[in-house]
Amino acid sequence: YAKEGTFAHDLGELKLLHHLGEIPKVEFNKKLKVMKQDEFYTKELDQYVDVYVDFAIEKINEHKTGMVFIEKRVDYSCICPEGFGTSDILILDNDTIEVVDLKFGKGLKVDAKDNSQLKLYSIGAVDNFNFIFEAKKVKMTIVQPRLDHISTDEIDVEELMAWGEQEVKPKADLAYEGKGEFNPGDWCRWCRVKDR
């Protein structure tokens, strides 16, 4: 499932980079042809990826004056030692940061409301770009095309950073030191060490 998800992300990235003019048509067609030979490629997968790509293009068009990044690494080590992730789409425009995450699974519906992963990525985006861009709010969206589910949440940057400093940082620092409490639960569904 993870490999299929990675493939779907790669296909979406290729299509978006072509849309943004960062990959010429000849190169796009060549890469797409190779991807269509992959074991994970199906017409159904391609159609689901297009749902995500269409949504992404709508977001990009909403922010014509903004900076757009596709598959952008964000570093949130300001609150979690060595913490980082990859935002599938990151847009900086006016006073707003948009973080969009593609979830390609079809088993569990994931909501953007108070989503820790998206909030961490958003903290990374604020920390990484605030020297050139002063954001006041963050919009976070999860796109799950296989479940026909798109969910968005919005938070003020002040509230987001306070959550990071007050809720996350103390626990992350303890965990980094090998201290703190192990607290397994159903949220450990994909953890490689959940049975230890």
Side-chain angles (χ1 to χ4, degrees), residues 96-136:
T96 304
I97 291 176
E98 292 240 15
V99 175
V100 179
D101 190 41
L102 168 63
K103 300 284 189 203
F104 204 70
K106 54 184 175 182
L108 179 67
K109 189 179 279 192
V110 182
D111 199 66
K113 181 81 175 150
D114 205 30
N115 184 288
S116 297
Q117 178 189 11
L118 287 183
K119 286 164 83 173
L120 289 170
Y121 288 6
S122 298
I123 286 172
V126 170
D127 187 63
N128 297 179
F129 290 100
N130 244 14
F131 69 99
I132 57 167
F133 175 82
E134 194 171 336
K136 292 191 170 76

Side-chain angles (χ1 to χ4, degrees), residues 6-19:
T6 299
F7 179 80
H9 276 80
D10 291 346
L11 182 58
E13 179 183 14
L14 178 68
K15 290 182 177 199
L16 286 171
L17 290 175
H18 178 254
H19 171 77

Side-chain angles (χ1 to χ4, degrees), residues 148-159:
D148 194 26
H149 177 67
I150 296 175
S151 171
T152 300
D153 194 19
E154 189 173 311
I155 189 169
D156 290 335
V157 167
E158 279 185 27
E159 183 184 343

